[in-house]
Amino acid sequence: MKKVAFYTLGCKLNYSETSTISRMFEAKGYEKVDFQENPDIFIINTCSVTENADKKCKKIVKEAKKISPNSYVTIIGCYAQLKPKEISEIEGVDAVLGAAEKFRLIELLDGFAKAQETKVLASEIQEATIFNNAYSIHDRTRTFLKVQDGCNYGCAFCTIPLARGKSRSDSIENILAAAEKIACTGVKEVVLTGVNIGDFGIQEGKRQERFADLVMALDAMLGIERFRISSIEPNLLANEIIEFVSRSERFVPHFHIPLQSGSNSILRSMGRRYLRELYEDRISKIKTLMPHCCIGVDVIVGFPGETDELFLETYNFLNELDISYLHVFTYSERANTRATEMDGVVPIKKRNERSKMLRILSEKKRRKFYEENLGRTYTVLFEEDIEDGQMHGFTENYIRVAAKYDPLLINELKQVTLSEINDKGNVDILEPEMILEKH
Ligand code: SF4
């Protein structure tokens, strides 16, 4: 029995896809092992957004060859689609597969027999038109369920449409069937994942269904206790969705909404499809209906043309906004994107300073959000991690809670009262009170 190991870089979508590909291997009789366990085959799923994707990829290949010198090393993922030739030149790589090929790798690399030449099977991205469904099963607590792939937007800084192709989705019917299978494995929380999930519903190039209908259909199914929506574009976060989530027992009060910049002129040059006024309106709609809703924000600093003044516009906008945390990205040039041609390049030092300022702001926001929730009672889903005798879990509204380690709590939903913020920035609780048996 051949042994195969996986390494994933990047986003939730990549994790869901690696997990599905690993189940394909297992179904064909391969044994899935850890990276260190001398595998015969390595599958490295790469990301194009990661800083220094090339260096990271090289490092992992080197590590793989050290562990298992005669192994067969295959590279898939966004970076493989964008730079197949470059990757094929990395010493130790046996095969590189693009977006249209990665789900067929077992059949395409028949037997994983080593050859003199590196195999490069990466069609043009226009060929990636099929939706391949995927979901991750890491531990029993939380699953990333892929419902949509690709993107038809063309933000000036982004390589994802080049790496993943046009927007396409699974059908609601298939997603419900997948969610039922997931429920049978004992998973309690499903995170809906995609590149641009608000654009859900395009099949074979035509809009067939809507994201709001998917949300409602999942809400009506039994078996999964909680659904979380991952990142959704502000212009696609319709009132209908916000209102439905505010009434739902299963969709949790947590949104992650990319802003990218608080300056309208930068938003325009990024090619984003909204202005700051719309963003503000979305936040105020959410907070009016769900005052304790958690809101995460993506923001990019150092985009070309971002003067000190325009950065301050972003800083002040975020400072005033009732949001809970930020994911800060420092802009870096990506080949074949419009932003690389733009004037007003921001020096790296300045980009890093701005990033630091926003990271500090994020910590302040998170702490304030946690403080506002102290004394309130929530349901926590405990995870399988131990750190200094403590375990962790998240509330519906994404507050990270710490409790004394108890193996019986793993994958259990417990009602808890938040008592105080501890030194590590997590929230301590009063004793868990009861196991919920809601459904
Ligand atoms: S919406 Fe913009 S940033 Fe997001 S994947 Fe599409 S092109 Fe990239």
Side-chain angles (χ1 to χ4, degrees):
M1 193 193 280
K2 280 197 172 170
K3 294 193 285 185
V4 56
F6 297 83
Y7 195 100
T8 308
L9 290 162
C11 64
K12 297 184 179 93
L13 210 52
N14 266 10
Y15 281 93
S16 71
E17 293 182 339
T18 303
S19 190
T20 290
I21 293 170
S22 78
R23 289 194 296 280
M24 288 175 174
F25 271 94
E26 285 172 317
K28 292 268 181 202
Y30 291 81
E31 186 192 354
K32 183 181 164 191
V33 296
D34 282 343
F35 209 80
Q36 308 290 340
E37 287 180 58
N38 228 9
D40 302 298
I41 304 161
F42 285 98
I43 309 292
I44 303 169
N45 195 358
T46 59
C47 166
S48 62
V49 178
T50 316
E51 276 301 312
N52 303 320
D54 50 343
K55 278 196 201 129
K56 281 208 175 124
C57 190
K58 272 186 203 146
K59 202 168 154 227
I60 300 160
V61 173
K62 206 167 157 198
E63 189 60 31
K65 294 311 272 187
K66 211 159 81 191
I67 293 167
S68 209
N70 297 321
S71 57
Y72 192 100
V73 175
T74 310
I75 314 288
I76 58 170
C78 293
Y79 186 53
Q81 175 65 39
L82 291 180
K83 298 274 169 70
K85 191 161 177 305
E86 237 170 66
I87 296 176
S88 71
E89 282 157 12
I90 299 176
E91 208 187 314
V93 171
D94 294 287
V96 186
L97 274 79
E101 291 82 13
K102 65 186 169 192
F103 281 91
R104 292 191 291 132
L105 91 171
I106 302 178
E107 140 205 357
L108 291 172
L109 301 178
D110 187 30
F112 296 89
K114 287 178 86 66
Q116 201 71 16
E117 294 273 296
T118 305
K119 239 185 195 164
V120 179
L121 303 168
S123 328
E124 293 296 316
I125 192 60
Q126 291 81 346
E127 309 285 316
T129 52
I130 291 173
F131 181 87
N132 292 288
N133 51 13
Y135 58 83
S136 67
I137 301 269
H138 284 305
D139 51 48
R140 289 175 306 140
T141 51
R142 203 190 303 177
T143 272
F144 301 136
L145 171 59
K146 173 182 164 189
V147 299
Q148 186 273 343
D149 198 355
C151 183
N152 294 347
Y153 287 16
C155 300
F157 51 82
C158 184
T159 52
I160 294 174
L162 306 172
R164 285 192 165 268
K166 291 264 180 226
S167 179
R168 55 204 186 275
S169 305
D170 208 350
S171 67
I172 294 180
E173 195 187 340
N174 281 348
I175 295 166
L176 287 175
E180 265 162 31
K181 270 197 209 154
I182 294 166
C184 291
T185 67
V187 164
K188 302 235 163 104
E189 181 175 311
V190 167
V191 183
L192 302 183
T193 306
V195 171
N196 188 346
I197 55 172
D199 194 38
F200 170 86
I202 298 177
Q203 291 163 32
E204 287 162 18
K206 279 196 218 106
R207 176 157 312 281
Q208 311 278 5
E209 294 177 312
R210 298 179 323 140
F211 186 60
D213 294 327
L214 171 66
V215 168
M216 290 176 210
L218 286 168
D219 191 73
M221 73 162 276
L222 299 181
I224 303 284
E225 308 268 347
R226 307 210 294 207
F227 287 101
R228 211 174 277 280
I229 299 173
S230 62
S231 182
I232 181 163
E233 290 291 299
N235 49 309
L236 298 174
L237 181 54
N239 281 348
E240 188 185 8
I241 299 170
I242 300 174
E243 284 160 10
F244 188 82
V245 169
S246 76
R247 296 190 303 270
S248 169
E249 291 250 325
R250 291 196 172 83
F251 275 82
V252 293
H254 175 202
F255 290 100
H256 192 97
I257 317 170
L259 167 70
Q260 312 307 18
S261 172
S263 143
N264 279 343
S265 73
I266 296 288
L267 286 174
R268 283 195 189 96
S269 68
M270 284 176 164
R272 304 287 292 163
R273 300 196 178 189
Y274 54 88
L275 297 176
R276 57 189 255 156
E277 290 75 15
L278 177 130
Y279 196 92
E280 213 171 355
D281 177 68
R282 298 298 72 204
I283 304 299
S284 111
K285 175 82 184 170
I286 293 170
K287 284 292 185 171
T288 309
L289 294 178
M290 293 168 272
H292 296 286
C293 184
C294 178
I295 303 177
V297 182
D298 287 339
V299 57
I300 297 174
V301 292
F303 187 77
E306 188 188 64
T307 58
D308 287 344
E309 210 181 10
L310 294 181
F311 168 69
L312 274 183
E313 266 187 39
T314 295
Y315 186 94
N316 292 334
F317 183 66
L318 287 166
N319 196 20
E320 295 294 312
L321 220 51
D322 192 1
I323 47 118
S324 324
Y325 64 90
L326 307 171
H327 279 176
V328 184
F329 298 87
T330 307
Y331 172 75
S332 72
E333 286 72 9
R334 300 272 183 250
N336 303 319
T337 57
R338 280 181 290 125
T340 54
E341 324 256 289
M342 291 180 179
D343 295 335
V345 172
V346 178
I348 304 284
K349 191 164 165 262
K350 225 168 219 188
R351 296 183 204 180
N352 292 335
E353 282 164 11
R354 290 176 186 173
S355 167
K356 196 168 166 208
M357 278 173 77
L358 285 187
R359 283 173 213 268
I360 294 169
L361 180 63
S362 176
E363 269 324 296
K364 278 195 205 148
K365 291 278 181 189
R366 193 189 297 272
R367 194 168 177 99
K368 181 166 172 284
F369 177 65
Y370 280 14
E371 277 166 0
E372 285 164 0
N373 283 281
L374 294 181
R376 295 181 59 83
T377 299
Y378 288 108
T379 308
V380 172
L381 178 57
F382 282 100
E383 297 181 0
E384 199 171 359
D385 66 336
I386 306 193
E387 204 185 313
D388 301 332
Q390 296 228 294
M391 67 193 305
H392 301 93
F394 285 92
T395 62
E396 303 89 317
N397 59 349
Y398 213 57
I399 292 174
R400 192 163 188 257
V401 158
K404 192 165 153 276
Y405 181 72
D406 175 354
L408 293 178
L409 282 180
I410 296 169
N411 199 33
E412 291 296 341
L413 285 161
K414 289 275 194 176
Q415 217 168 57
V416 301
T417 303
L418 308 186
S419 68
E420 60 180 357
I421 302 175
N422 65 26
D423 314 341
K424 292 192 172 130
N426 300 311
V427 174
D428 285 337
I429 51 173
L430 300 177
E431 281 307 291
E433 281 143 22
M434 60 174 192
I435 296 174
L436 282 188
E437 283 170 2
K438 284 198 298 191
H439 307 296

